[in-house]
């Protein structure tokens, strides 16, 4: 089993803390922030740490030496307020509600064996996010990751050699980690998956089937 | 707006509330005087040139005006709230990406099992404690936090830049966060 050699991060079911820090500092990419948000919705503990990291950001912002502003900036801003200019750039709408609805949408790509895949748009070229559905009791092909892969369970549960992952659990699978996740019996397992690189299939059947399950 | 009046950051929260509830322009002027020059400094540190930073600072302050009605002082102190707006604007503008976030009021969130002590973290007093805790960190840890927040760099980019093994950067950041947590918990 590859676990000892390649899985450097112990499976905690939570994102490692430095990823929450990246999320707060704004260094996380859109796909990364989507994955973290999906976990935060289900995890009060990581939510608290993230709020604390945001507060760190506040302390750092407040500690900065003020930079000089051009004259009249305040008046120009007030004028912009009066004009009602500049669209309200903030997106409203709940990411979590949107994600929750996704499994019901059409547009699932059927993969032989009863699997399904649905691309989750997040307008970024830094990674791809998919919803992956495995029928209850079914396993995925054994594969090895090239580049790290993040998984958040949305429904059901799966197991691999590191244990069980249920709704909200975050699996951080390191580069080179090889595993064969199996959906628990009883309920289909739907996972949100972020991938940076193609998984490399390690069995012949995996290699042959790879084009069909290409993410 | 007299800066000394604003030294007590508790009043900054009140100013946001005044903007949100009464569209109070002098309260906004107070927020502007305190935060605009710092937002600009933050944007410049994270890679923006001065002209773009002026422009963007104005956009951030515009969002402060627009979003003030939704500000809840029990959830975030003024600096934290404005930091998140400036951060998201920076990501939106320079990376043309979205920072996915959860809404803490979203009823579909898994609720807290019970009220936790560092829930109160967001009050102005907690900001003071947090500041003290940061100052008490070993330099090798606080330097990394500096790079994360002032240059907006990910832990892996930081590792490459300071020429440290990735594992070392991860463990220093984890230690820093643990110390801050412990510090905050014990002072409550």
């Amino acid at each position: 089993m590859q676990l000892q050699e390649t899985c450097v991060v112990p499976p905690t079911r939570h994102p490692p803390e430095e990823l929450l820090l990246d999320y707060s500092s704004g260094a996380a990419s859109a796909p990364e922030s989507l994955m973290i948000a999906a976990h935060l919705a289900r995890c009060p503990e990581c939510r608290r740490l993230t709020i604390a990291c945001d507060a760190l950001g506040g302390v750092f912002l407040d500690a900065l030496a003020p930079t000089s502003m051009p004259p009249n900036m305040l008046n120009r801003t007030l004028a912009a307020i009066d004009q009602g200019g500049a669209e309200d750039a903030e997106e409203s709408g709940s990411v979590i509600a949107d994600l929750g609805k996704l499994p019901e949408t059409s547009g699932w790509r059927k993969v032989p064996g009863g699997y399904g895949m649905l691309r989750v748009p997040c307008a970024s070229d830094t990674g791809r996010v998919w919803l992956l559905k495995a029928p209850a009791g079914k396993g995925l092909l054994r594969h090895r990751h090239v580049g790290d892969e993040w998984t958040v369970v949305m429904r059901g549960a799966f197991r691999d050699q590191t244990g069980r992952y249920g709704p909200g659990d975050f699996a951080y699978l390191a580069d080179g980690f090889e595993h064969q996740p199996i959906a628990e019996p009883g309920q289909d397992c739907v996972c949100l998956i972020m991938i940076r690189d193609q998984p490399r299939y390690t069995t012949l059947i995996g290699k042959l089937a790879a084009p069909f399950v290409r993410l | 707006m007299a800066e000394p009046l604003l030294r007590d950051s508790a009043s900054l929260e009140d100013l946001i509330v005044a903007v949100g509830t009464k569209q109070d322009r002098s309260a906004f002027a107070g927020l502007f005087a305190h935060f605009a020059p710092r937002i600009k400094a933050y944007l410049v540190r994270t890679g923006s040139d001065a002209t773009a930073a002026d422009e963007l600072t104005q956009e951030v302050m515009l969002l402060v005006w627009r979003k003030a009605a939704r500000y809840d002082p029990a959830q975030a102190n003024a600096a934290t709230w404005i930091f998140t707006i400036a951060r998201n604007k920076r990501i939106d503008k320079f990376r043309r990406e979205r920072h996915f976030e959860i809404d803490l009021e979203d009823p579909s969130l898994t609720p807290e099992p019970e009220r936790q002590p560092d829930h109160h973290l967001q009050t102005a007093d907690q900001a003071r404690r947090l500041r003290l805790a940061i100052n008490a960190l070993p330099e090798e840890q606080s330097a990394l936090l500096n790079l994360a927040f002032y240059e907006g760099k990910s832990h892996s980019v930081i590792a490459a830049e300071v020429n440290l093994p990735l594992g070392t950067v991860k463990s220093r950041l984890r230690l820093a966060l643990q110390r801050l947590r412990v510090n905050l918990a014990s002072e409550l």
Side-chain angles (χ1 to χ4, degrees), chain B residues 69-150:
Chain B
R70 279 181 276 157
Y71 171 69
D72 176 3
Q75 266 184 13
N77 66 50
T80 301
W81 188 69
I82 288 176
F83 165 73
T84 59
I85 295 175
R87 173 198 67 196
N88 293 356
K89 193 79 207 167
R90 177 174 74 76
I91 294 170
D92 176 48
K93 207 69 177 184
F94 292 120
R95 295 218 312 258
R96 306 214 164 274
E97 278 203 340
R98 181 171 169 197
H99 189 260
F100 288 93
E101 288 190 300
I102 50 161
D103 175 1
L104 291 173
E105 301 298 314
D106 190 332
S108 63
L109 298 187
T110 303
E112 287 280 343
E114 55 190 276
R115 262 187 100 71
Q116 299 288 328
D118 43 335
H119 242 288
H120 308 286
L121 189 74
Q122 299 301 333
T123 65
D125 188 45
Q126 286 299 319
R128 191 183 55 80
R129 287 161 196 249
L130 198 50
R131 210 156 34 232
L132 292 175
I134 293 168
N135 289 338
L137 287 177
E139 211 269 327
E140 62 171 34
Q141 290 172 24
S142 58
L144 296 181
L145 290 179
N146 262 300
L147 286 171
F149 284 104
Y150 284 153

Side-chain angles (χ1 to χ4, degrees), chain A residues 18 22-26 28 30 33 41 47-48 51 54 60 62 67-68 73 82 85-86 90 94 124, chain B residues 25 34 37-38 40-41 54 66-67 87 90 95 97 99-100 106 110 112 116 122 134 150 155 170 174:
Chain A
E18 67 275 7
D22 285 352
Y23 179 78
S24 268
S25 72
S33 74
R47 220 147 63 210
R48 280 200 304 279
I51 289 170
D54 284 351
F60 276 96
D62 221 40
T67 305
S68 69
M73 273 300 269
D82 289 335
E90 289 302 296
S94 159
S124 174
Chain B
R25 285 174 173 250
H34 183 83
R38 288 175 169 84
K40 181 179 175 184
D54 285 336
R66 295 221 171 99
K67 297 179 71 164
R87 173 198 67 196
R90 177 174 74 76
R95 295 218 312 258
E97 278 203 340
H99 189 260
F100 288 93
D106 190 332
T110 303
E112 287 280 343
Q116 299 288 328
Q122 299 301 333
I134 293 168
Y150 284 153
H155 70 277
K170 286 181 183 186
R174 287 177 199 175

Side-chain angles (χ1 to χ4, degrees), chain A residues 85-113:
Chain A
E87 78 299 355
D88 192 346
E90 289 302 296
E91 325 207 7
S92 47
S94 159
V95 180
I96 301 313
D98 290 351
L99 276 179
K101 274 182 240 141
L102 273 177
E104 321 307 337
T105 58
S106 56
W108 279 86
R109 205 159 104 199
K110 291 204 174 96
V111 180

Side-chain angles (χ1 to χ4, degrees), chain A residues 29 32 126-128 146-150 194-198:
Chain A
S29 66
E32 288 172 343
T126 50
R128 287 154 294 161
V146 182
D148 57 345
E149 179 193 296
W150 303 5
M194 186 196 77
I195 293 198
R196 290 184 226 271
D197 292 293
Q198 297 290 339

Side-chain angles (χ1 to χ4, degrees), chain B residues 159-176:
Chain B
E161 284 196 1
V162 298
N163 222 348
L164 282 172
L166 189 56
T168 307
V169 168
K170 286 181 183 186
S171 59
R172 284 185 189 172
L173 287 173
R174 287 177 199 175
L175 276 174

